[in-house]
Amino acid sequence: MTPFSLPTHIQFKDPIQAKAILTQQVHSAKSILFLTVEEAHRLQLFELIQGWCDEGLIWIQTIPEKLSVSTIQDIINPLIGLSIESIVAIGDLNAIILAKVIAWLLPRIQSETDLSELNLILRQAKAETDPKPITTLAIPTDFSPRGALSFRIEVEDDLALIEIEDPACAVTSALIVNDWMDAQSKESILKAGYMGLSQAAEAYWATSTGPFIQSLSIQSIKLIIRSLPVVLANPNQKDALQALLVGCLQATLAQNNTKVGAIHGLALAISQRSSMNLSVASALTLPDFLKLNLGYLTHPENLYEAFNINNPQELRSWLEKTATGVFPMSLAKVGLNEKALGPLAQQALSYGHPELNPVLLTSEMIREFLKLHL
């Protein structure tokens, strides 16, 4: 890993500028667009996009509710042989991740592929040829920029997880348009903030971190902690919205340069085995990992100041308070019991890079963490 890697070109634009860039992209390359009809209407793009469809410049793809190997197969097989040069994704994390998967896979597949072949390509994360990359443009609308900026892809299949970490997975460019963000959804705002805090904290204490990454992580935590309550109380507060978005961007950039660790791996296992959202699951055990790792940090006071707390319990209280009435912060309320914790803890250690945690983790240690949240 280089000292700092930024494979995605990020631009902050207003709606008029964004439409101009989008139009240029569509007219310069044979394109696929990942966008829901609802989002097209909300962003006042429906007529513009309908015109592109009538001209044959673009294909619109339906976005499945859950990404799996079979849904990827359904989407990618009809596209093989069409010489697609560009993919545009406008929407939530699911739309952007789907676009990244298709952009990564399409140059690597020469003919229609069955499920077993597609599974093998994804699991091996390589191909015999060196494919020409497809240009990708991501326009996130749900305050969760990690899908646009992370060069990591995760595809679930039953209880299995396919993970690809490859700079080729990153989108070519990302447009950040404040006015297109869905700031009215408390769920969306909380999920973005929770994931950002978890990403930044893990990047700060990862054994692969460095001074610049730690500085970026601290800035990210400060921005999110101080702006999130303001946005929840008043979603029209544009300065706070901008601060929250920048904080989440910085968190993703920090994690990109340290790889995902134990918090994310455990959150993935929880979200697969229950109805708890990945971002909420990340926040659930963040105070536990903070408490565990503080004694191994050279300057733990930096994290206390960034989180605006005196101890990890205060962070837990803050997270529970912000989630009240929006998300349950209890494993028992999302369908898990003590009997399920052992297999869940074992599964968590197989995801991500738990070895980057400053304290060696065991399944029994993780199980004890989880028992606190029943």
Side-chain angles (χ1 to χ4, degrees):
M1 183 77 63
T2 57
F4 189 71
S5 173
L6 181 56
T8 300
H9 178 58
I10 308 168
Q11 301 178 75
F12 286 81
K13 299 294 182 181
D14 62 33
I16 294 175
Q17 294 169 323
K19 286 180 183 179
I21 292 171
L22 189 55
T23 300
Q24 181 182 22
Q25 175 103 354
V26 169
H27 279 84
S28 64
K30 190 181 289 186
S31 301
I32 311 171
L33 178 67
F34 288 94
L35 176 71
T36 65
V37 173
E38 292 79 12
E39 281 285 69
H41 281 295
R42 184 177 75 84
L43 304 179
Q44 299 180 348
L45 291 172
F46 187 80
E47 291 184 8
L48 184 65
I49 291 167
Q50 188 61 54
W52 294 337
C53 291
D54 293 342
E55 294 176 57
L57 294 171
I58 201 163
W59 290 267
I60 295 183
Q61 288 290 331
T62 302
I63 303 168
E65 289 186 10
K66 188 175 179 66
L67 192 60
S68 68
V69 178
S70 60
T71 57
I72 292 169
Q73 181 197 31
D74 291 342
I75 290 170
I76 203 165
N77 275 338
L79 301 174
I80 294 169
L82 294 181
S83 301
I84 300 297
E85 300 167 318
S86 165
I87 295 180
V88 180
I90 307 174
D92 62 10
L93 179 64
N94 205 30
I96 293 170
I97 290 178
L98 181 60
K100 286 164 57 176
V101 172
I102 300 301
W104 187 87
L105 271 174
L106 201 51
R108 291 167 166 79
I109 298 177
Q110 307 305 318
S111 58
E112 285 200 12
T113 307
D114 63 27
L115 272 178
S116 60
E117 291 172 321
L118 187 56
N119 216 309
L120 186 62
I121 293 170
L122 285 165
R123 290 187 183 281
Q124 291 180 339
K126 62 181 181 180
E128 294 180 1
T129 59
D130 185 18
K132 179 184 177 182
I134 291 175
T135 299
T136 46
L137 171 64
I139 307 177
T141 61
D142 71 344
F143 281 90
S144 183
R146 67 187 177 92
L149 301 186
S150 174
F151 44 75
R152 177 182 174 86
I153 292 173
E154 296 158 351
V155 180
E156 294 183 26
D157 207 35
D158 297 324
L159 278 184
L161 181 77
I162 298 169
E163 301 174 280
I164 303 171
E165 277 189 6
D166 181 354
C169 295
V171 298
T172 311
S173 58
L175 278 181
I176 310 298
V177 187
N178 269 7
D179 289 352
W180 286 358
M181 294 289 178
D182 182 9
Q184 303 304 315
S185 168
K186 285 189 176 182
E187 291 87 349
S188 173
I189 291 167
L190 278 173
K191 285 190 288 187
Y194 287 168
M195 180 57 73
L197 291 175
S198 301
Q199 288 178 312
E202 280 211 302
Y204 183 87
W205 62 55
T207 56
S208 57
T209 195
F212 182 76
I213 302 303
Q214 288 187 320
S215 175
L216 194 65
S217 299
I218 292 297
Q219 292 174 32
S220 168
I221 292 170
K222 286 181 177 179
L223 285 170
I224 295 170
I225 283 287
R226 288 153 180 79
S227 62
L228 186 60
V230 178
V231 175
L232 289 173
N234 180 8
N236 297 316
Q237 226 294 352
K238 293 204 171 183
D239 288 343
L241 284 170
Q242 178 82 3
L244 176 61
L245 182 56
V246 171
C248 292
L249 285 166
Q250 290 178 334
T252 300
L253 295 179
Q255 190 182 67
N256 267 357
N257 287 271
T258 54
K259 297 187 177 181
V260 299
I263 292 179
H264 189 76
L266 179 53
L268 272 171
I270 292 172
S271 65
Q272 282 184 295
R273 291 174 174 265
S274 74
S275 59
M276 183 172 283
N277 174 269
L278 176 65
S279 298
V280 180
S282 296
L284 184 73
T285 59
L286 175 57
D288 303 313
F289 280 94
L290 176 62
K291 182 178 180 179
L292 176 69
N293 293 323
L294 276 174
Y296 293 81
L297 301 178
T298 306
H299 297 289
E301 67 278 5
N302 290 343
L303 281 175
Y304 276 155
E305 181 188 359
F307 279 115
N308 196 27
I309 57 172
N310 293 311
N311 57 67
Q313 182 56 41
E314 287 188 14
L315 176 59
R316 187 185 311 284
S317 299
W318 183 89
L319 290 167
E320 290 174 350
K321 181 179 179 181
T322 56
T324 300
V326 185
F327 293 116
M329 295 289 274
S330 162
L331 295 177
K333 291 182 179 179
V334 293
L336 292 173
N337 54 35
E338 189 167 350
K339 185 179 178 180
L341 301 188
L344 195 159
Q346 290 279 2
Q347 182 183 355
L349 288 176
S350 68
Y351 291 164
H353 298 273
E355 73 277 5
L356 296 180
N357 198 72
V359 179
L360 179 64
L361 295 167
T362 66
S363 59
E364 183 58 31
M365 189 183 298
I366 292 176
R367 184 173 175 276
E368 290 302 311
F369 280 175
L370 296 173
K371 284 170 66 176
L372 299 172
H373 302 289
L374 285 173

